[in-house]
Amino acid sequence: MSSREVVVLSVGGVRFVTRASTLQQFPESRLARMVNDDDREFKLVNGEFFVDRDGALFSYIMDFLRTLQVSLPSDFSDYQRLQREAEFYGLYPLADLLSQEHLLKPRLEILEVRFSLQEMQAFFRIFGSCSTTIEALAEQITVFTGQQSGQGWNSPFPSQKPLIPLPLDRPSHHDVVFLCGTEYSAGDQFMARYVSIKPDNRKLINGTNVLGLLLDTLLKDGFRLISTRTVTSEEKVECYTFERMKRAAGLAITVNQTPGSSGVAQARRSQVQKGK
């Protein structure tokens, strides 16, 4: 790589090294004009362009130029300041995206687990404010059914008979319902339902054990338990409420820039990771 392809900037005392082509992503921006020696405000001192602006915020601008995506930390709050910096550099597509803070700000997500224990069966209902999270949980949870001999849900696992996976009940995009345990079939035969929650490979039939594994899975996935309560004492329905901060829909913003265009870019959303 020749020296003319490498550009060194000192922005507010923070040093950046990049390609000239990276700074020329948007031809009408001040950074592109700087590389082409068409902006006199940016001084070349000892081989480095000196820019008297915020160096910490410029790191996000460099990330945008390199990836054409806006991806900010979950605790980021300086949207207006970063928008002002983008306008200073003439990166108006970035400034336009930053003006839509609701697309970029993380949001509070609420999830509720209802658990009811009735005789030899346990009933579960999971409701969430984010349908993507519920969809991901539905993919993690599998209910298996099969017949077994013996008494109660603490009977040995019926290895002699194959288990059949059952589809989960999905009343809506925001909730999932399933149950585990045993119910009387005929003679000494019981219909058993086991629950498996990935990445754990166990098949559990005891409702209390399934509840413990489910709560542990949610905690490991970034949720925080904020309350527990008994909904109805007669039916012994327990309710566990969780919350977590999550980037809106798990999406980043991508800008498509046509070479030689006027700098007006088309924004689109691209999914960066499913189910988180």
Side-chain angles (χ1 to χ4, degrees):
M1 184 182 296
S2 68
S3 59
R4 286 181 298 178
E5 292 178 310
V6 178
V7 178
V8 181
L9 302 93
S10 176
V11 184
V14 182
R15 193 168 182 265
F16 296 88
V17 181
T18 186
R19 294 172 180 264
S21 58
T22 299
L23 299 174
Q24 293 170 326
Q25 288 278 12
F26 296 86
E28 294 188 1
S29 70
R30 296 189 67 183
L31 292 172
R33 297 203 304 269
M34 175 192 72
V35 174
N36 298 329
D37 296 325
D38 290 336
D39 195 313
R40 296 182 180 180
E41 183 172 342
F42 299 121
K43 305 292 184 180
L44 190 61
V45 180
N46 297 325
E48 299 182 4
F49 284 101
F50 174 74
V51 185
D52 189 19
R53 303 293 295 190
D54 191 308
L57 292 178
F58 190 74
S59 64
Y60 300 117
I61 289 176
M62 283 301 308
D63 182 65
F64 168 76
L65 291 173
R66 287 167 174 154
T67 66
L68 295 184
Q69 292 184 346
V70 180
S71 183
L72 301 172
S74 59
D75 59 349
F76 186 82
S77 59
D78 289 337
Y79 292 93
Q80 292 184 349
R81 291 183 59 215
L82 184 55
Q83 181 183 356
R84 186 169 64 243
E85 293 299 293
E87 292 172 347
F88 170 81
Y89 293 109
L91 296 170
Y92 297 108
L94 174 58
D96 291 341
L97 293 177
L98 290 168
S99 67
Q100 306 177 64
E101 294 184 25
H102 64 283
L103 295 177
L104 302 172
K105 281 185 175 180
R107 58 191 177 86
L108 182 64
E109 181 180 356
I110 301 296
L111 188 139
E112 180 183 274
V113 176
R114 292 199 174 196
F115 170 70
S116 176
L117 192 60
Q118 299 179 13
E119 297 182 351
M120 305 305 294
Q121 291 186 319
F123 296 83
F124 293 84
R125 178 180 181 269
I126 306 174
F127 177 85
S129 60
C130 177
S131 60
T132 304
T133 297
I134 296 299
E135 186 68 33
L137 277 173
E139 293 180 359
Q140 287 180 261
I141 300 172
T142 306
V143 177
F144 298 89
T145 185
Q147 285 189 335
Q148 72 174 70
S149 300
Q151 300 293 325
W153 60 8
N154 290 316
S155 300
F157 178 77
S159 58
Q160 72 275 15
K161 295 184 179 180
L163 296 177
I164 302 172
L166 294 176
L168 298 180
D169 187 10
R170 297 292 307 278
S172 74
H173 293 295
H174 289 273
D175 57 353
V176 58
V177 177
F178 62 94
L179 60 87
C180 67
T182 59
E183 59 181 345
Y184 179 76
S185 177
D188 65 346
Q189 297 294 311
F190 284 80
M191 184 62 68
R193 284 186 175 87
Y194 297 80
V195 174
S196 176
I197 304 177
K198 297 177 183 178
D200 194 293
N201 293 321
R202 293 173 296 170
K203 294 181 176 66
L204 304 176
I205 193 171
N206 185 293
T208 303
N209 293 341
V210 173
L211 176 64
L213 178 58
L214 176 59
L215 300 186
D216 185 60
T217 300
L218 294 174
L219 292 173
K220 289 180 178 178
D221 202 28
F223 281 97
R224 183 173 66 94
L225 181 64
I226 58 174
S227 71
T228 61
R229 71 182 192 277
T230 300
V231 180
T232 58
S233 57
E234 295 80 6
E235 298 180 1
K236 298 181 180 178
V237 178
E238 300 174 3
C239 179
Y240 301 81
T241 304
F242 294 81
E243 70 175 17
R244 73 173 175 183
M245 295 300 295
K246 183 182 178 183
R247 191 177 302 279
L251 301 175
I253 303 295
T254 303
V255 173
N256 296 329
Q257 173 66 29
T258 303
S261 70
S262 63
V264 177
Q266 179 182 4
R268 68 178 177 87
R269 302 183 188 182
S270 64
Q271 188 167 357
V272 293
Q273 186 175 7
K274 184 179 180 180
K276 289 290 184 181

